[in-house]
């Protein structure tokens, strides 16, 4: 299956939090989108890996993504090395996306910046013809593939975006997909320990950040991204 967009997240729920509304909008516009989670989030204070597996599946159905995979890297301990890069390369070559979305370049959680670097490096390496990869159980060598664009979504820290996407009309879908991770986010009836993301203030912040970015470009809601190289436009009036 060739995808238009492949989104990577260090943990299940990273993609939804950073780019859920953008993904929902792209799918509504007919794009095929997939998600690859690097870890199962097994070190999370709340819930468990098994619970998060189920929540990730439920969230995927809400967003309508075409495929979701988990590489089962070690939460908190994966590295940006050859072994992990090859795992990412296999996913890129398998789905051949034009656009890659990945973690914030810098963030509170150490896995986010590390995941960002890992995916970015793998995107470059995936285009090199002398790197040979095969999918497990497949005797066929994969063809090289390098995505045209690599965009980093914004997570905990308020990083200034290089561009923002108008996601008006899709913030409710994003919120629904996030709340599918009921073990992780605000639940007044939960007796699990409090975490930085389990407060009502945090879940509210997802909406008010989108509203504030939207305000800056004159729309209702927006999501921000950073880039690794210049983004080109056809003409001055291509910008909203």
């Amino acid at each position: 299956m060739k995808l238009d967009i492949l989104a990577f997240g260090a943990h299940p729920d990273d993609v939804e939090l950073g780019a859920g509304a953008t993904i929902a909008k792209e799918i509504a516009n007919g794009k095929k989108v997939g998600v690859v989670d690097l870890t199962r989030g097994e070190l999370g204070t709340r819930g468990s890996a098994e619970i998060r597996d189920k929540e990730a599946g439920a969230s995927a159905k809400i967003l309508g993504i075409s495929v979701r995979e988990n590489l089962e890297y070690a939460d908190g301990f994966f590295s940006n090395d050859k072994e992990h890069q090859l795992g990412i390369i296999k996913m890129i070559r398998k789905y051949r996306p034009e656009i890659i979305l990945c973690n914030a370049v810098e963030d509170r959680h150490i896995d986010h910046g590390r995941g960002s670097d890992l995916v970015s490096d793998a995107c470059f390496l995936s285009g090199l013809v002398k790197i040979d990869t095969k999918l497990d159980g497949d005797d066929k060598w994969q063809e090289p593939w390098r995505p045209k664009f690599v965009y980093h979504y914004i997570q905990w820290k308020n990083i200034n975006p290089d561009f923002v996407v108008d996601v008006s009309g899709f913030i409710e879908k994003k919120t629904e997909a996030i709340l599918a991770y009921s073990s992780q986010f605000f639940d007044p009836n939960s007796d699990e320990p409090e975490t930085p993301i389990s407060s009502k203030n945090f879940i509210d912040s997802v909406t008010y950040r989108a509203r504030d970015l939207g305000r800056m470009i004159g729309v209702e809601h927006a999501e921000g991204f950073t880039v690794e190289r210049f983004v080109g436009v056809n003409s001055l009036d291509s910008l909203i």
Side-chain angles (χ1 to χ4, degrees), residues 3 55-56 104 131 159 186 231:
L3 298 174
E55 292 171 341
I131 294 178
I159 297 173
F186 178 69
V231 175

Side-chain angles (χ1 to χ4, degrees), residues 3-239:
L3 298 174
D4 299 297
I5 301 168
L6 185 58
F8 287 88
H11 314 103
D13 74 28
D14 282 356
V15 169
E16 288 88 345
L17 285 166
T22 298
I23 287 172
K25 181 175 184 177
E26 293 290 351
I27 291 171
N29 288 336
K31 298 294 179 63
K32 289 185 178 179
V33 182
V35 173
V36 175
D37 301 308
L38 304 188
T39 78
R40 298 172 71 199
E42 63 269 19
L43 295 184
T45 302
R46 295 160 66 101
S48 66
E50 292 75 18
I51 290 172
R52 296 186 78 170
D53 289 345
K54 294 178 182 179
E55 292 171 341
S59 180
K61 289 181 180 179
I62 291 167
L63 288 177
I65 64 175
S66 298
V67 63
R68 186 169 206 148
E69 297 202 38
N70 195 303
L71 294 177
E72 298 188 13
Y73 291 165
D75 190 10
F77 293 99
F78 68 83
S79 301
N80 185 3
D81 57 18
K82 181 178 180 180
E83 177 185 359
H84 292 84
Q85 289 164 358
L86 286 172
I88 303 292
I89 290 168
K90 289 178 183 179
M91 292 294 100
I92 295 170
R93 291 177 172 181
K94 179 179 180 179
Y95 293 114
R96 304 168 73 83
E98 304 298 323
I99 298 172
I100 292 284
L101 305 180
C102 58
N103 286 100
V105 292
E106 178 189 3
D107 214 35
R108 182 186 68 87
H109 197 299
I110 60 172
D111 281 353
H112 294 173
R114 184 163 51 207
S116 172
D117 291 340
L118 170 59
V119 173
S120 179
D121 289 351
C123 285
F124 175 80
L125 294 171
S126 185
L128 300 181
V129 298
K130 292 184 178 180
I131 294 178
D132 297 324
T133 57
K134 292 180 180 179
L135 291 173
D136 293 342
D138 192 343
D139 293 331
K140 184 178 179 181
W141 293 106
Q142 292 182 301
E143 294 292 328
W145 182 267
R146 183 174 293 147
K148 293 179 180 177
F149 307 103
V150 180
Y151 301 141
H152 302 261
Y153 47 81
I154 295 171
Q155 298 184 259
W156 181 271
K157 291 187 177 180
N158 288 321
I159 297 173
N160 286 328
D162 293 318
F163 70 91
V164 295
V165 177
D166 177 6
V167 294
S168 302
F170 293 92
I171 199 68
E172 293 82 7
K173 180 74 73 175
K174 170 177 179 162
T175 303
E176 184 183 359
I178 291 170
L179 292 178
Y181 295 91
S182 57
S183 70
Q184 301 301 302
F185 300 108
F186 178 69
D187 178 358
N189 299 314
S190 175
D191 58 3
E192 295 223 54
E194 291 297 320
T195 72
I197 64 171
S198 68
S199 69
K200 187 176 186 301
N201 184 43
F202 175 79
I203 203 68
D204 288 344
S205 75
V206 173
T207 300
Y208 63 66
R209 171 187 274 170
R211 186 178 296 119
D212 192 50
L213 288 174
R215 174 185 64 84
M216 298 294 286
I217 62 168
V219 301
E220 187 176 359
H221 294 105
E223 286 182 329
F225 299 84
T226 62
V227 300
E228 299 181 7
R229 61 181 184 180
F230 292 134
V231 175
V233 296
N234 290 323
S235 63
L236 291 178
D237 61 8
S238 296
L239 302 172

